[in-house]
Amino acid sequence: MSAPALEVQDLHAYYGESHVLQGVDLVVRPGEAVALIGRNGAGKTTTISAIAGFLRPRQGTVRINGRNLTGAPAHWVARAGVALVPQGRRIFGDLSVRENLAIAGRPAANGWDEARVVELFPSLGRRLGLRGDQLSGGEQQMLAVGRALMRNPSLLLLDEPSEGLAPMLVEEVGETLVRLRATGLPLLLVEQNLGLATRVGQRVHVMNKGTIVFTGTPVELAAARDVEARYLGV
Ligand SMILES: Nc1ncnc2c1ncn2[C@@H]1O[C@H](COP(=O)(O)OP(=O)(O)O)[C@@H](O)[C@H]1O
Ligand SMILES: [Mg+2]
């Protein structure tokens, strides 16, 4: 069996003296879409930061495709094939859609390019000449995902793509992520939106106060009413 796309074991991380991640374990297998769910402040973004190399964990390991990249700087992790769609999207508002995609590009044979991104997001194709800040929130989210894909990643991390989007646009993002999942690209989707997380994730991890309190399929989570009530406020 090939190594997991992502394997996080017993991860601990701090902001100063504040012990935020208190032993996080999670796995994304090859070709798998996994959701990490939890309330605001649970430690989801901190987990992403520790994986992506923005925050150095104090204990535990992060392996990408079998390579130990614990504590490696962000540009190493990126070169190892990890792409991040950050919380708040952070596209370049004063560059065109086409330029936003082009500057992210890291060409690969048979990989993602502008044409393939536009195939996944047809509405972006009609807006290639517009500036990033002329797009709607939903389109900006598509551009942020498209930009990450232009890096031809082997693992995609998405931090709350539904944030700030109207329900209809959340639907649209969900549909896109399901199509992206079908390409076989391993995904780690961080979400507060339970509906989106369980639609996209083949397995879900629930996080509370810096630890994983539940791991299972969306069906198993739906059956675990106590988990939903205690940690997700459903
Ligand atoms: N840069 C920071 N400095 C200090 N504390 C932080 C910082 N970022 C987040 N925190 C704290 O760490 C905890 C986890 O935050 P975060 O990972 O952003 O949660 P989530 O993404 O699940 O909403 C929260 O208590 C938050 O207040
Ligand atoms: Mg967050």
Side-chain angles (χ1 to χ4, degrees):
M1 236 177 74
S2 48
L6 171 68
E7 186 174 28
V8 171
Q9 286 178 322
D10 191 33
L11 204 65
H12 291 254
Y14 292 69
Y15 292 115
E17 287 311 300
S18 172
H19 190 177
V20 174
L21 298 188
Q22 307 194 4
V24 175
D25 295 281
L26 63 89
V27 174
V28 180
R29 301 187 187 113
E32 191 181 37
V34 172
L36 178 62
I37 318 175
R39 284 193 180 126
N40 199 20
K44 305 181 298 298
T45 295
T46 306
T47 301
I48 293 259
S49 300
I51 293 168
F54 298 120
L55 177 68
R56 212 184 154 85
R58 224 184 263 187
Q59 188 182 316
T61 55
V62 175
R63 286 196 184 79
I64 310 288
N65 294 313
R67 274 178 71 190
N68 187 345
L69 287 169
T70 314
H75 64 279
W76 285 23
V77 180
R79 227 183 299 148
V82 178
L84 168 65
V85 181
Q87 191 165 7
R89 324 195 226 285
R90 292 193 228 141
I91 59 160
F92 294 104
D94 53 353
L95 297 185
S96 70
V97 168
R98 174 169 275 139
E99 287 164 339
N100 266 281
L101 292 174
I103 55 167
R106 191 178 70 157
N110 306 316
W112 290 93
D113 54 16
E114 184 189 289
R116 235 184 117 193
V117 168
V118 164
E119 206 179 301
L120 184 70
F121 301 114
S123 61
L124 278 189
R126 294 188 287 273
R127 288 165 174 73
L128 286 169
L130 291 187
R131 286 160 40 130
D133 58 12
Q134 294 175 305
L135 301 181
S136 71
E139 289 162 352
Q140 287 187 4
Q141 187 60 58
M142 291 176 197
L143 178 55
V145 175
R147 208 174 50 167
L149 292 174
M150 291 290 282
R151 304 197 40 76
N152 280 294
S154 58
L155 171 69
L156 186 62
L157 311 173
L158 301 118
D159 195 351
E160 294 209 37
S162 78
E163 192 180 33
L165 297 186
M168 228 176 70
L169 293 176
V170 174
E171 273 291 300
E172 206 174 306
V173 167
E175 190 220 317
T176 309
L177 294 182
V178 167
R179 275 193 284 147
L180 190 54
R181 182 181 77 190
T183 68
L185 175 64
L187 307 175
L188 179 65
L189 170 65
V190 162
E191 262 303 329
Q192 281 192 60
N193 185 315
L194 181 62
L196 178 62
T198 53
R199 179 172 169 202
V200 175
Q202 294 158 307
R203 286 188 309 120
V204 296
H205 293 84
V206 177
M207 176 169 250
N208 186 55
K209 294 186 178 158
T211 61
I212 303 296
V213 292
F214 173 89
T215 298
T217 65
V219 170
E220 288 163 348
L221 177 60
R225 289 286 155 81
D226 54 320
V227 171
E228 292 195 341
R230 266 168 75 190
Y231 303 118
L232 302 171
V234 177

